[in-house]
């Protein structure tokens, strides 16, 4: 029987139900979802009632004081992550923060150092690398059939109405790179390795948003691979592939291309084969979000398993700093028109 871990979730807004369902489903693996908290008491109470969670709070400090938590899952927006993570660490509790890690590089470094000083586990809920299609692509790359990748294009281009669920996007000071580009950059690191240089152009195409809604990044990886990483909420092409990350990867012996509708074309030598990705539909999932929802479950499962084993999660705070560093470099590259080296902590 796995050790039981008492979990408290902070933030019961738009995205939180995906975490609450996941922790419930992970009960056989040791997850005990015992408390939820939201600064808006109505949201906390509704989440507790909806998910059968025994206790709800409108104050995170009270939740941490009154419960012997083994993990706190912070599903609030990034501006609150530094203070809430510090609060968890003061109470000696391991923490997860949703992406984006925090509004600034200094905040991210401070959260990581806070965890390390306290000797506590820290993970970032970066879920794209846990998406079933991207894991299959990684498996193909690792098998070596196309050889070591030399060039890639990884893109998330959509016109899905993300503003309906996440209206705060209108007012972000730094928008698409931190919200969406950060996922795509993480996929680039996951598939192609670390990044040594970044160029970037940003655009604000929707006049209703304050910051960039389109980013085109050019990464040089330490392996020599070059990748084009794209993120936009203003692509009006059909079919709209939301929420798929599409990619083309070329190696010396072949190539992988993914197409809307969860399809992959793989060329090896002179032969091209096609495959449809198997995308699980969890019992609580709702298309078009089901692939993302499955990845949230898998991210939570990886974090829980890592905590049980006393090792770092795949998306540990330290790991996610490297993804954030590329985004930080992208903003500087866009502002200066120069290629920029990602900062190091
Ligand atoms: P939201 O604004 O809908 O919900 C956040 C909730 O946190 C609100 O209900 C708010 O009252 C609560 N809150 C804020 N400060 C608090 C505090 N100090 N104590 C307790 N509660 C507090 O936001 P959302 O859309 O659910 O996004 C939350 C995070 O999830 C963001 O970082 C977002 O980028 C991320 N997100 C991730 C994905 C993904 O695929 N990984 C998708 C969507 C959103
Ligand atoms: O906020 C974004 C994210 O993190 O994943 C999907 C999303 O909700 C909208 O593109």
């Amino acid at each position: 029987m796995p050790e039981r871990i008492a979990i408290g979730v902070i933030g019961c807004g738009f995205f939180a139900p995906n975490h609450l369902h996941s922790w419930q489903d992970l009960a056989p693996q040791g997850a005990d979802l015992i408390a939820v908290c939201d600064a808006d008491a109505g949201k906390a109470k509704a989440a507790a009632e909806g998910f059968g969670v025994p206790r709800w709070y409108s104050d995170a400090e009270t939740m941490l004081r009154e419960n012997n938590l083994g993990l706190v899952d912070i599903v609030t927006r990034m501006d609150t992550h530094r203070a809430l993570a510090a609060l968890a660490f003061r109470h000696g509790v391991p923490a997860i923060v949703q992406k984006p890690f925090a509004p600034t590089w200094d905040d991210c470094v401070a959260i990581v150092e806070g965890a390390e000083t306290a000797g506590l586990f820290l993970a970032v809920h970066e879920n794209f690398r846990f998406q079933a299609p991207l894991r299959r692509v990684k498996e193909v790359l690792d098998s070596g059939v196309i050889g070591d990748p030399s060039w890639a294009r990884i893109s998330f281009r959509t016109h899905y109405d993300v503003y309906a669920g996440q209206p705060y996007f209108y007012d972000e000071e730094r928008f698409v790179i931190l919200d969406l580009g950060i996922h795509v950059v993480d996929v680039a690191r996951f598939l192609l390795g670390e990044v040594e240089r970044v160029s970037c152009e940003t655009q604000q195409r929707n006049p209703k948003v304050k910051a960039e809604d389109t980013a085109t990044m050019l990464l040089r990886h330490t392996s020599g691979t070059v990748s084009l990483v794209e993120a936009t909420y203003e692509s009006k092409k059909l079919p709209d592939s939301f929420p798929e990350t599409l990619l083309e990867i070329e190696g010396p012996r072949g190539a992988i291309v993914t197409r809307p509708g969860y399809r992959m074309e793989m060329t090896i030598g002179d032969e091209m084969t096609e495959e449809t990705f198997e995308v699980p539909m969890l019992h609580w999932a709702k298309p078009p979000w089901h692939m993302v929802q499955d990845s949230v479950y898998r991210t939570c499962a990886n974090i829980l398993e890592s905590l049980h084993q006393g090792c770092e999660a795949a998306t540990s705070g330290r790991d996610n700093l490297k993804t954030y560093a590329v985004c930080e470099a992208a903003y500087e590259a866009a502002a200066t028109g120069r290629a920029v080296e990602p900062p190091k902590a």
Side-chain angles (χ1 to χ4, degrees):
M1 279 287 281
E3 181 206 342
R4 308 303 302 171
I5 295 183
I7 299 172
V9 171
I10 304 179
C12 302
F14 167 73
F15 204 66
N18 302 306
H19 290 237
L20 298 170
H21 277 297
S22 296
W23 293 128
Q24 273 188 332
D25 286 1
L26 287 163
Q29 284 80 26
D32 275 340
L33 178 58
I34 64 159
V36 289
C37 170
D38 197 291
D40 177 336
K43 286 192 191 176
K45 184 167 182 280
E49 286 170 0
F51 287 85
V53 183
R55 290 184 280 284
W56 63 267
Y57 297 85
S58 57
D59 175 54
E61 160 92 77
T62 313
M63 179 178 83
L64 280 153
R65 206 176 46 242
E66 292 186 0
N67 296 277
N68 188 17
L69 296 177
L71 179 63
V72 67
D73 186 15
I74 300 168
V75 198
T76 56
R77 276 142 60 184
M78 62 177 168
D79 53 314
T80 58
H81 291 177
R82 183 170 174 175
L84 289 171
L87 181 67
F89 301 148
R90 276 203 299 282
H91 285 264
V93 181
I96 309 171
V97 296
Q98 247 295 348
K99 54 58 65 177
F101 207 161
T104 70
W105 170 251
D106 287 349
D107 288 332
C108 300
V109 173
I111 298 172
V112 170
E113 288 178 353
E116 289 175 355
T117 304
L120 288 165
F121 176 97
L122 168 69
V124 175
H125 186 102
E126 172 46 69
N127 51 310
F128 271 37
R129 62 164 80 181
F130 287 97
Q131 293 177 358
L134 298 171
R135 293 195 86 74
R136 172 69 186 130
V137 168
K138 172 83 168 142
E139 191 177 79
V140 174
L141 287 180
D142 287 350
S143 76
V145 284
I146 71 160
D148 291 337
S150 36
W151 183 92
R153 175 182 181 202
I154 310 180
S155 82
F156 193 114
R157 312 190 70 84
T158 186
H159 190 50
Y160 182 84
D161 184 10
V162 291
Y163 303 97
Q166 297 169 274
Y168 51 86
F169 283 165
Y170 288 115
D171 298 316
E172 298 290 7
E173 299 291 335
R174 306 205 293 177
F175 175 26
V176 89
I177 296 178
L178 269 198
D179 177 65
L180 179 61
I182 203 160
H183 285 303
V184 193
V185 164
D186 195 68
V187 170
R189 285 189 52 236
F190 174 60
L191 297 176
L192 308 170
E194 299 309 337
V195 175
E196 61 184 20
R197 197 160 65 229
V198 183
S199 307
C200 178
E201 293 292 338
T202 55
Q203 294 162 287
Q204 181 214 341
R205 294 156 72 189
N206 178 346
K208 292 191 194 143
V209 299
K210 228 161 123 178
E212 87 290 350
D213 54 29
T214 299
T216 308
M217 298 175 243
L218 183 66
L219 314 185
R220 183 168 183 96
H221 297 259
T222 49
S223 60
T225 308
V226 169
S227 69
L228 194 58
V229 170
E230 307 166 354
T232 185
Y233 287 131
E234 284 301 314
S235 173
K236 305 266 165 79
K237 72 176 158 35
L238 291 173
D240 194 314
S241 46
F242 183 90
E244 289 182 73
T245 301
L246 299 176
L247 50 81
E248 294 171 47
I249 303 179
E250 298 176 1
R253 289 192 287 281
I256 299 167
V257 178
T258 65
R259 304 276 184 206
Y262 298 114
R263 291 176 300 123
M264 173 169 75
E265 295 167 0
M266 185 163 47
T267 303
I268 301 165
D270 292 335
E271 212 173 304
M272 201 261 276
T273 54
E274 293 182 58
E275 178 178 324
T276 301
F277 294 119
E278 281 174 37
V279 181
M281 177 75 73
L282 294 173
H283 61 99
W284 46 270
K286 285 196 182 61
W289 287 89
H290 58 291
M291 187 266 298
V292 172
Q293 291 170 317
D294 176 66
S295 72
V296 169
Y297 170 82
R298 285 166 191 266
T299 307
C300 291
N302 175 268
I303 289 171
L304 188 66
E305 173 72 10
S306 309
L307 199 52
H308 273 133
Q309 295 195 350
C311 62
E312 294 237 308
T315 58
S316 67
R318 274 274 158 213
D319 181 83
N320 202 256
L321 269 187
K322 295 184 196 153
T323 293
Y324 199 99
V326 176
C327 296
E328 194 64 23
Y331 278 112
E332 195 188 329
T336 60
R338 291 199 321 266
V340 174
E341 208 180 296
K344 291 192 175 61

